[in-house]
């Protein structure tokens, strides 16, 4: 009996995932595009915008990160933003066309003392009619429940890379720590946003390892961000050899095939990607992106550039009756 490739599976082997990477490029992208349109309208893209609500000074040593206090990156540490200032940024993001507002904090874990302020940010953003997402480091089960009660839709917590390469990237928290936080998030009924980074000097097998880990979770991530490393001077991984664009597209395609119903985000790295590479990503199954000129601490394409990309590719924001972003509408 042949299996329907669009039906989610949780029993992938690492060899099977690696074999997908090895398919001829055109065959891989075709298969991914076929699966993509079984679950989604391939002209629709989910639009998120990021804000760093607490920047720098992080005690963790993630080797790619501008915000770790272990490396001299020139990113100054700042305190948790005031709720009003965050809501003002969320309003601007909404006006620009964002559908989800993602707030990131450079923390190892959430401290209970910060819960009331973070909860106020979440409920305030939610009240503006935006979807809410936060990424605050490790969470305990009761904290996840509190965030859900505040109106949280998504929690972002990445596995970052495959389990075999993980120790070369970060040593201050384990893969299992990350899996435990994801369990707390799922158990609280919050949607999961979980993916990783490529272009950190890992092998193709490591990239397959990341996607294998995601595809064999108890539930596939609702949102699956694939980040191309934004190289940061002063970090251990800042001088990594850039990943070939076609290999990035392959990673997107394999993510689409192993997690067919996940919303796959073409995440960090668009700033240094050609329009053609991005177009191939959308063809290969990516259907989410960050808009706005800034990610957390690094650059992202400006709205008018993305407006042109959307118009040229015939893409539209995901969802019935979704508002075309201002700059997108202006470019039509
Ligand atoms: N401190 C929290 C944590 O790590 O769980 C939340 C914020 S952290 C910056 C969120 C994610 O951004 C990381 O897990 C990583 O996957 C991604 N990220 C951070 N720096 C990056 C970079 N230079 N390039 C690409 N992705 C990056
Ligand atoms: C994710 O996977 N990518 C976003 C979000 N989740 C939090 C972060 C990208 C950060 C890129 C580097 C920076 O701007 O500092
Ligand atoms: Fe801290 Fe998150 Fe950066 Fe790691 S990725 S150093 S936990 S801010």
């Amino acid at each position: 009996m042949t299996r329907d490739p669009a039906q989610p599976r949780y029993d992938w082997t690492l060899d099977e995932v690696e074999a997908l990477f090895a398919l001829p490029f055109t065959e891989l992208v075709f298969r991914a595009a076929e699966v993509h349109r079984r679950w989604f309208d391939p002209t629709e893209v989910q639009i998120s915008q990021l804000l760093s609500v607490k920047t720098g000074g992080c005690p963790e040593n993630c080797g790619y990160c501008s915000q770790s206090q272990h490396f001299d990156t020139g990113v100054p540490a700042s305190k948790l933003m005031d709720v009003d200032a965050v809501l003002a940024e969320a309003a601007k993001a909404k006006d620009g066309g964002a559908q989800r507002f993602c707030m990131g904090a450079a923390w190892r874990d959430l401290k209970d003392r910060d819960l009331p302020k973070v909860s106020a940010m979440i409920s305030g953003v939610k009240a503006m009619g935006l979807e809410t997402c936060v990424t605050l480091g490790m969470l305990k089960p009761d904290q996840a429940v509190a965030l859900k009660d505040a109106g949280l839709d998504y929690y972002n917590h990445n596995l970052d890379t495959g389990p075999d390469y993980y120790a070369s990237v970060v040593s201050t928290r384990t893969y299992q720590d990350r899996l435990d936080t994801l369990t707390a998030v799922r158990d609280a009924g919050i949607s999961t946003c979980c993916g990783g980074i490529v272009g950190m000097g890992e092998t193709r097998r490591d990239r397959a390892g990341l996607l294998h880990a995601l595809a064999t979770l108890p539930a596939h991530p609702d949102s699956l961000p694939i980040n191309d490393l934004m190289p940061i001077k002063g970090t251990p991984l800042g001088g990594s050899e850039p990943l070939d664009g076609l290999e990035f597209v392959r990673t997107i395609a394999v993510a689409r095939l192993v997690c067919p119903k996940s919303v796959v985000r073409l995440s960090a790295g668009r700033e240094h990607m050609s329009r053609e590479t991005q177009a191939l990503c959308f063809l290969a199954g990516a259907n989410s992106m960050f808009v706005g000129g800034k990610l957390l601490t690094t650059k992202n394409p400006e709205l008018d550039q993305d407006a042109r990309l959307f118009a040229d590719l015939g893409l539209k924001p995901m969802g019935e009756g979704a508002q075309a972003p201002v700059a997108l509408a202006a470019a039509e």
Side-chain angles (χ1 to χ4, degrees), residues 58 60 62 64-67 104-108 135-138 155-160 173 178 195-198 227-232 268-269 296 298:
C58 183
E60 299 287 89
C62 311
Y64 48 77
C65 186
S66 64
Q67 305 195 68
W107 287 329
R108 168 182 165 76
T135 178
L136 313 169
M138 292 188 279
Y155 195 86
N156 166 249
H157 200 66
N158 290 337
L159 293 181
D160 278 355
R173 78 173 77 158
R178 290 178 188 260
I197 314 175
V198 296
N227 297 277
D228 196 23
L229 177 72
M230 296 295 286
I232 310 285
L296 291 173
T298 63

Side-chain angles (χ1 to χ4, degrees), residues 3 10 48 61 75 142 173 221 226 255 273 284:
R3 281 201 258 211
Y10 298 84
S48 295
N61 68 354
V75 172
D142 59 318
R173 78 173 77 158
I226 301 292
M273 262 176 225

Side-chain angles (χ1 to χ4, degrees), residues 14 17-18 21 160-166 168-169 175 197-198 200-213 247 251:
L14 179 56
V17 179
E18 204 182 13
F21 270 91
D160 278 355
T161 189
D164 294 342
Y165 194 60
Y166 183 81
S168 311
V169 175
Y175 220 68
I197 314 175
V198 296
M200 299 194 293
E202 76 285 346
T203 61
R204 177 180 272 184
R205 187 142 177 106
D206 294 321
R207 288 187 283 282
L210 166 68
L211 296 180
H212 174 257
E247 183 69 9
T251 309

Side-chain angles (χ1 to χ4, degrees), residues 31 36 44 51 70 77 103-104 141 151 161 179 191 208 225 244 247:
R31 286 195 200 178
H36 185 191
E44 289 192 351
L51 176 68
H70 296 260
M103 295 163 272
T161 189
L179 295 169
S191 297
D244 174 57
E247 183 69 9

